[in-house]
Amino acid sequence: MKFITTLLTLAIASGQTPQTPPKKPGAVEVVVTNSITAEPIKKVVVVLQNGNTQSGYAGLTDLAGHFKFQNVQPGSYLVSATRDGFIFQPGGAFGHNFKPLKVDEEQRIKNFSLKLIPLAAVSGRVVDEDGDPIAGANVHAMQNTYAQGRRLLNPVDLANTNDLGEFQLINLQPGRYYFQASIPSRALNSPVRIRSPRPEETYPATFYPGALDAAQATATEVAPGADITSIDFRLRKMRSYRVRGKIVDAQGQAAASASLRIQMRGAAVNSGRASSMVRPDGSFDVRGLLPGSYVAIAQWMQAGKMNVARQSISISDQDVNGLLLTLAPALEISGSVQVEGPQSDNQHRLTVMLEPLEWMGQSADTMAESDGTFVLHNVIPALFEVDIYPFPGTYLKTIRLGDQEVTDARIDLTQPAGGSLKLVLGVDGGKLDGVVQDLNGDPAAGALITVAPRDELENRRDLFKQSMTGDKGDFHVQDLAPGDYKVFAWQRVDPNLLEVTEFRKPFESKAASVGIVANGHESVQLKIISAADVEKEKSKLP
């Protein structure tokens, strides 16, 4: 079978001047194998992407997993490989799905190796307490994700059971999963008022093998190419309760087109929010809720402006009736950004953000005017963290909400708070230089550097800095707020995981402690933290 190299015309490459003779091309022979069995993989799409000229080459491997690129222009390339049922993860500090390659003039590169990881499959059954199959149940594959320094179980794949209660999840990447079975919400919420002499029951969402709480769930390790067939669920009914009430506007009129969602407080799962149809008279009836502490949020867009109502709910051993949610205009948060000390020409149009600290919240952001003033519109009452992208040469030094200084960048907008939000940028930040060695004592190029604040600044994510080492293992970080820090060097790690204090703590003995003073300049030497050590500690997280 004949294979043809295809030139990807992504953009016109920057050409040579007429006086410059073109460089003589080289050739690249690629071989693609299964990372577990070492067997060759056919029909793999291999792409050589030149990031400088935005051009590249593509080819398809043969039965022996080979493909040869002819007439490859000299330069630096990023090589990727794609095939159904496999994933390409060659490594690197951020786990990128490409592998670097440099082709010199007239160079012939042979057996450039690419290893693809086979994907996995998981199957099982969902039955009720009597062992009868439950058709149409949702089975989620969930993984730990991390945002703003907190853990969240996030669904990454979904399967539905057939009439025999069977399900199958295919093409799962290797990793640690939590599996959850639940009945679709459409079976739990009723558009009409139903009364029954018997206590209501529901099938609560259940983690494999039988936990109701995410904290008690058991993780399942899914190996590359695995075929796991024993993820079975037995759902059992539990006493459930309803929340009934009405949503009205500021004049007491029914808000028929409003939306309503109810979520348990402190939930570590990014799913399972209960919602309800709102009737023409503004009333709602949400069923299937288990005992616990909840938050109800009603939203209504009118004339381009958001109206909201927020109410805490506690369910113990009876229904909640007569809940009145009165809509009011969403918050308008005004404020200003000022720079302490000398001004510079680029100190304008800075973006101000409020990041939610609870899953019921929605982020808000705006761009400050040239005079530093800003207004955040349609802000839902919630807990937020203040964040900005400072100008070069500055850092966020002071945060004030009204007459109160906010030391940890977290503000509570669920309660009335008078005054504006005032942000002051400092210009006296410190600098940090360093050198990283690999496990053999050689310069570690491409290592990920994190500079994490400590003590009273520990929760200030805006002060958390990252950098990469150069070819000589060197790095430079500037605009550091005065304070104490821990400095880490990572071979490969999920950057979002680094903001989790519990994850970093076991590695503090391999980190450097440094104190930054105003306008100071410090230097450190680091040993790289291996990817194997990262995976070992990651497996210990809940």
Side-chain angles (χ1 to χ4, degrees):
M1 183 173 182
K2 185 176 180 181
F3 294 91
I4 301 175
T5 303
T6 304
L7 175 65
L8 298 179
T9 312
L10 303 178
I12 298 177
S14 57
Q16 302 285 343
T17 62
Q19 296 78 16
T20 304
K23 293 182 177 181
K24 295 181 180 180
V28 179
E29 183 181 358
V30 174
V31 56
V32 184
T33 58
N34 186 311
S35 65
I36 303 302
T37 66
E39 295 176 347
I41 306 176
K42 64 180 180 179
K43 297 183 179 179
V44 177
V45 177
V46 182
V47 175
L48 276 62
Q49 172 92 33
N50 189 313
N52 295 326
T53 63
Q54 292 299 300
S55 62
Y57 307 84
L60 195 68
T61 59
D62 59 18
L63 294 174
H66 285 251
F67 185 82
K68 188 173 183 178
F69 294 93
Q70 303 281 11
N71 299 318
V72 177
Q73 290 300 312
S76 296
Y77 293 87
L78 299 177
V79 185
S80 62
T82 306
R83 174 72 157 88
D84 288 343
F86 294 85
I87 186 172
F88 184 48
Q89 289 183 331
F94 296 98
H96 290 308
N97 60 345
F98 54 76
K99 188 174 181 178
L101 171 67
K102 185 179 180 181
V103 180
D104 294 325
E105 189 172 11
E106 294 188 288
Q107 184 181 15
R108 300 291 187 263
I109 299 176
K110 295 183 178 181
N111 296 323
F112 185 75
S113 176
L114 302 176
K115 297 182 184 297
L116 270 60
I117 302 171
L119 299 177
V122 171
S123 59
R125 295 187 72 214
V126 180
V127 300
D128 63 16
E129 54 269 86
D130 298 321
D132 295 327
I134 299 179
N138 291 332
V139 179
H140 281 104
M142 298 183 171
Q143 285 188 309
N144 282 331
T145 57
Y146 298 90
Q148 300 172 313
R150 294 170 296 150
R151 174 203 182 211
L152 175 67
L153 271 180
N154 197 49
V156 296
D157 204 354
L158 168 67
N160 299 114
T161 57
N162 59 19
D163 56 354
L164 300 177
E166 300 168 334
F167 71 91
Q168 184 179 39
L169 294 155
I170 59 174
N171 289 339
L172 286 178
Q173 296 186 24
R176 189 164 62 147
Y177 290 87
Y178 296 84
F179 297 100
Q180 185 194 58
S182 62
I183 306 298
S185 59
R186 63 179 179 270
L188 300 179
N189 299 315
S190 174
V192 297
R193 190 178 297 272
I194 299 175
R195 299 287 184 178
S196 173
R198 298 179 57 186
E200 290 190 11
E201 294 181 317
T202 191
Y203 288 110
T206 302
F207 288 95
Y208 175 81
L212 301 182
D213 189 348
Q216 305 299 320
T218 300
T220 300
E221 291 288 345
V222 177
D227 186 9
I228 301 175
T229 61
S230 57
I231 303 299
D232 298 327
F233 297 86
R234 182 179 290 268
L235 304 188
R236 292 177 170 82
K237 285 185 177 180
M238 292 184 62
R239 177 76 167 92
S240 63
Y241 302 91
R242 297 190 180 212
V243 174
R244 302 183 180 94
K246 190 173 184 178
I247 304 174
V248 299
D249 61 18
Q251 288 72 44
Q253 300 299 311
S257 58
S259 64
L260 173 70
R261 66 186 193 273
I262 299 177
Q263 183 168 326
M264 183 172 286
R265 283 185 178 274
V269 180
N270 192 17
S271 66
R273 295 173 179 171
S275 59
S276 173
M277 179 185 298
V278 179
R279 304 187 186 95
D281 63 354
S283 64
F284 59 86
D285 185 352
V286 182
R287 58 181 296 199
L289 299 174
L290 301 178
S293 179
Y294 296 82
V295 176
I297 290 278
Q299 294 177 250
W300 187 38
M301 187 66 73
Q302 186 181 40
K305 293 189 176 182
M306 180 68 70
N307 292 268
V308 299
R310 175 191 174 106
Q311 180 68 50
S312 297
I313 306 169
S314 180
I315 299 177
S316 55
D317 58 357
Q318 60 183 359
D319 294 341
V320 175
N321 296 303
L323 181 67
L324 182 63
L325 297 175
T326 303
L327 296 161
L331 302 176
E332 303 283 316
I333 307 297
S334 62
S336 64
V337 181
Q338 300 177 358
V339 180
E340 184 179 72
Q343 306 286 307
S344 64
D345 293 339
N346 65 345
Q347 290 169 1
H348 63 282
R349 307 297 287 170
L350 176 142
T351 299
V352 179
M353 297 167 285
L354 296 182
E355 299 289 351
L357 288 171
E358 55 183 355
W359 309 126
M360 295 297 294
Q362 296 179 5
S363 60
D365 63 81
T366 190
M367 187 172 287
E369 300 296 332
S370 57
D371 62 356
T373 61
F374 63 85
V375 179
L376 291 155
H377 300 281
N378 293 331
V379 179
I380 294 178
L383 302 174
F384 290 96
E385 183 177 61
V386 180
D387 198 5
I388 63 170
Y389 293 116
F391 305 121
T394 68
Y395 66 93
L396 183 54
K397 187 171 187 176
T398 306
I399 304 170
R400 299 190 70 88
L401 181 60
D403 58 359
Q404 183 177 2
E405 183 170 349
V406 182
T407 59
D408 60 0
R410 299 179 177 185
I411 58 176
D412 185 355
L413 298 182
T414 63
Q415 304 296 328
S420 62
L421 184 62
K422 183 177 180 180
L423 309 177
V424 178
L425 302 182
V427 295
D428 59 348
K431 299 178 181 180
L432 178 66
D433 294 320
V435 176
V436 180
Q437 294 179 336
D438 63 18
L439 300 179
N440 297 321
D442 298 322
L448 176 63
I449 305 300
T450 58
V451 185
R454 301 188 64 198
D455 302 329
E456 68 273 7
L457 299 179
E458 188 172 67
N459 291 326
R460 288 285 302 274
R461 292 192 316 111
D462 61 294
L463 302 181
F464 191 94
K465 298 282 188 176
Q466 295 188 359
S467 182
M468 295 286 289
T469 58
D471 293 339
K472 298 180 180 180
D474 57 318
F475 66 90
H476 176 73
V477 182
Q478 59 186 19
D479 304 333
L480 289 167
D484 294 324
Y485 295 84
K486 279 284 189 179
V487 189
F488 304 80
W490 312 90
Q491 183 183 37
R492 185 172 69 248
V493 70
D494 176 1
N496 292 322
L497 191 61
L498 297 178
E499 296 182 2
V500 181
T501 303
E502 293 75 12
F503 172 76
R504 295 196 312 266
K505 281 191 178 300
F507 298 107
E508 289 190 350
S509 61
K510 299 182 180 181
S513 297
V514 62
I516 300 295
V517 299
N519 297 310
H521 191 170
E522 300 292 335
S523 297
V524 296
Q525 290 187 338
L526 298 169
K527 275 280 192 181
I528 200 165
I529 299 170
S530 71
D533 286 342
V534 168
E535 290 302 315
K536 181 179 178 180
E537 291 300 327
K538 184 179 177 180
S539 66
K540 298 178 183 179
L541 292 175

